[in-house]
Amino acid sequence: MNDRQIIRPEEVLAEYYPPLTDHEAAVEANRCLYCYDAPCTHACPTHIDIPKFIKKIATENVVGSARTILEANLMGATCARVCPVQELCEGACVLNAEEKPIMIGRLQRYATDYVYSRGIDVFKPGPPTGKKVAVVGAGPAGLTCAGELAKLGHSVTVFERRELPGGLSTYGIIALREPVEVALAEVEMVKRLGVEVKTGMELGANLSFEQIRREYDAVFLGVGLGAVPALGIPGEEHIVDGLSYIEASKMNPQGLEVGRNVAVIGAGNTAIDCATVAKRLGAERVTMVYRRTDAEMTAYPHEYEFAKKEGIEFRFLTQPVRVIVEGGKVAGLECVRMELGAPDASGRPAPRPVPGSEFVLPADQVVKAIGQEKPALAQALGLQTEKGYIKVNDDLETSLPGVYAGGDCVRAKGSASTVMAVEDGKLAAFAIHRKLVPLRAAADD
């Protein structure tokens, strides 16, 4: 039996950071300076009152701490794990100047896990308004919108095309960062607010857009993005889709085929997740291939450092041009070296091939994680788009009255993230509420 056969996915892909003990949480909470006009709160896209929730942990009011978090961010358990806190709240912590910042993300996880593990609901449905809202997509944006609307008393039905709700939190974030159970616990919390979640329902297939517009007073679209785009190179049919790779690592890790010599095309956070999965599930060598340099890669700096510590190798200024296949199996990845020229439309230096620099990178498995296609659904539904994304106004209302949208389907690459999807869902819910019951909304304000 070799090392690859005795790998236990539940161990190597277990959540990276262990939960804080009660003592650890108390000690960490008491390090906080509880700043007035705290920079950490300003750095949080959902504006959680961070000093307030930490102070409540310090005073042993953990339920109150969770309520403070969830009032601002209904997906607080997910965001505690997947937010780039190094770039946001923790990056803004004033203690960075003299010592390490407060572990805001882990304290947030401590508080939210506390209420979920004990079955404590911190919110109740609001008084019924008699209004019905349809939410399409059960990812962070859709679930947040649905939950906030239910708290305001609206009847909400969420339609999700996948078997399980939760969107990328369930399927697309490696278990090392967020286990499936965390995403599904948030779904159950939203359902306990009275939200009905219907899975296996897809717009244009068994769900009619025209019908839900007729039957509901408002519609929110949180449909995310499309598939990983094609590279357009010979042998591409032998390349594994990165999101499918991550999904398999969460849903059926024992059945995931992992090569010994894996090449991952791309240099974003998803590409690093794919490389991490391959490395931890037994690949002897994992190489990330990117056509620009580390200065242009879209992965967060801390993710890049994490990957290097995992033993993942990087080939920068390298462009795949062909998958070499022998006997129906991948035998290598032919690449060409690149050099950087003038900036392109993205504002980054445009890579161009160096003539005669072709070489073969050894590989028996190739995974691509080069982003996702823009939402094709927009045109099918007759929605106006902007640079390929669904166009919305300041209230997140689309070109169709009463139809709102948020999350990745409205956000250009670089501004899309789980926490921004949550903020979109929250703002759209409040805008829908103002539209449906203006008098009550004014009273709430």
Side-chain angles (χ1 to χ4, degrees):
M1 181 178 291
N2 61 39
D3 291 342
R4 288 164 60 88
Q5 291 174 313
I6 61 173
I7 287 173
R8 294 180 174 85
E10 68 277 8
E11 295 177 0
V12 298
L13 295 179
E15 197 161 5
Y16 187 69
Y17 290 109
L20 295 175
T21 65
D22 293 344
H23 176 70
E24 288 170 335
V27 169
E28 188 66 12
N30 278 294
R31 287 182 57 231
C32 183
L33 302 178
Y34 313 119
C35 302
Y36 175 75
D37 197 28
C40 55
T41 294
H42 287 291
C44 173
T46 55
H47 306 298
I48 295 171
D49 189 334
I50 293 169
K52 182 178 180 181
F53 96 69
I54 293 178
K55 183 70 172 178
K56 289 187 175 183
I57 292 175
T59 57
E60 300 184 6
N61 181 8
V62 186
V63 175
S65 175
R67 182 178 293 108
T68 298
I69 294 162
L70 298 173
E71 281 173 347
N73 182 331
L74 209 54
M75 300 293 112
T78 283
C79 289
R81 291 165 163 87
V82 306
C83 264
V85 292
Q86 297 88 338
E87 320 297 322
L88 297 172
C89 55
E90 291 182 17
C93 179
V94 297
L95 291 180
N96 274 302
E98 297 179 4
E99 53 183 309
K100 66 178 183 178
I102 300 297
M103 293 189 290
I104 297 169
R106 294 183 70 186
L107 286 172
Q108 181 170 316
R109 172 182 160 188
Y110 172 80
T112 53
D113 285 1
Y114 182 93
V115 294
Y116 284 131
S117 65
R118 290 163 175 77
I120 299 170
D121 288 322
V122 299
F123 302 121
K124 294 180 180 179
T129 63
K131 300 295 184 179
K132 296 168 57 182
V133 181
V135 172
V136 181
L143 290 173
T144 299
C145 185
E148 294 292 352
L149 286 167
K151 286 165 59 182
L152 292 166
H154 303 291
S155 174
V156 187
T157 303
V158 178
F159 299 96
E160 167 57 44
R161 67 180 181 90
R162 303 296 299 270
E163 179 183 354
L164 294 174
L168 283 180
S169 297
T170 297
Y171 290 105
I173 296 171
I174 59 173
L176 204 67
R177 310 196 191 290
E178 181 176 19
V180 173
E181 295 76 20
V182 174
L184 296 184
E186 289 180 323
V187 174
E188 291 303 313
M189 175 268 293
V190 170
K191 289 167 70 174
R192 289 194 298 273
L193 287 170
V195 174
E196 183 178 12
V197 179
K198 294 184 176 182
T199 57
M201 303 294 290
E202 184 175 1
L203 276 181
N206 58 352
L207 182 64
S208 164
F209 186 53
E210 292 75 18
Q211 184 176 350
I212 61 173
R213 288 194 71 196
R214 287 195 304 269
E215 295 181 358
Y216 292 85
D217 298 296
V219 177
F220 176 80
L221 302 174
V223 295
L225 292 172
V228 177
L231 284 165
I233 62 175
E236 183 160 14
E237 66 273 16
H238 295 277
I239 296 179
V240 180
D241 176 285
L243 288 175
S244 299
Y245 203 69
I246 292 173
E247 179 179 330
S249 77
K250 297 190 81 172
M251 300 297 159
N252 183 26
Q254 297 286 0
L256 177 61
E257 182 178 340
V258 176
R260 288 186 178 276
N261 202 339
V262 180
V264 177
I265 303 170
N269 296 313
T270 301
I272 286 179
D273 281 354
C274 291
T276 303
V277 165
K279 191 69 175 176
R280 290 199 166 217
L281 291 183
E284 295 171 2
R285 186 177 187 183
V286 180
T287 307
M288 293 185 65
V289 179
Y290 181 50
R291 60 183 182 160
R292 292 185 171 96
T293 73
D294 57 350
E296 291 81 34
M297 65 191 296
T298 56
Y300 296 120
H302 67 273
E303 295 282 15
Y304 179 35
E305 292 303 315
F306 172 84
K308 289 191 288 187
K309 290 176 182 177
E310 289 285 300
I312 294 163
E313 300 176 30
F314 290 80
R315 285 291 189 103
F316 295 111
L317 293 173
T318 301
Q319 174 74 54
V321 295
R322 177 170 68 100
V323 180
I324 298 172
V325 181
E326 296 176 358
K329 295 184 177 181
V330 174
L333 183 64
E334 183 178 343
C335 302
V336 63
R337 300 193 189 282
M338 308 294 282
E339 60 184 8
L340 297 181
D344 60 15
S346 71
R348 296 177 295 173
R352 58 193 181 203
V354 176
S357 64
E358 291 81 2
F359 69 99
V360 175
L361 185 69
D364 60 3
Q365 185 177 52
V366 180
V367 180
K368 65 175 180 180
I370 53 173
Q372 292 174 261
E373 293 177 336
K374 294 168 184 177
L377 196 62
Q379 291 184 337
L381 300 180
L383 299 170
Q384 287 184 15
T385 59
E386 188 170 11
K387 297 182 179 178
Y389 299 92
I390 297 174
K391 185 177 182 180
V392 293
N393 62 18
D394 291 344
D395 281 337
L396 295 169
E397 190 170 20
T398 70
S399 55
L400 295 178
V403 178
Y404 299 74
D408 289 356
C409 63
V410 307
R411 290 191 166 275
K413 186 176 181 181
S415 66
S417 65
T418 298
V419 69
M420 293 308 301
V422 170
E423 182 69 357
D424 285 352
K426 181 172 70 172
L427 295 177
F430 297 158
I432 291 169
H433 181 61
R434 290 193 298 269
K435 190 83 168 277
L436 296 183
V437 283
L439 294 179
R440 179 179 293 186
D444 290 341
D445 292 341

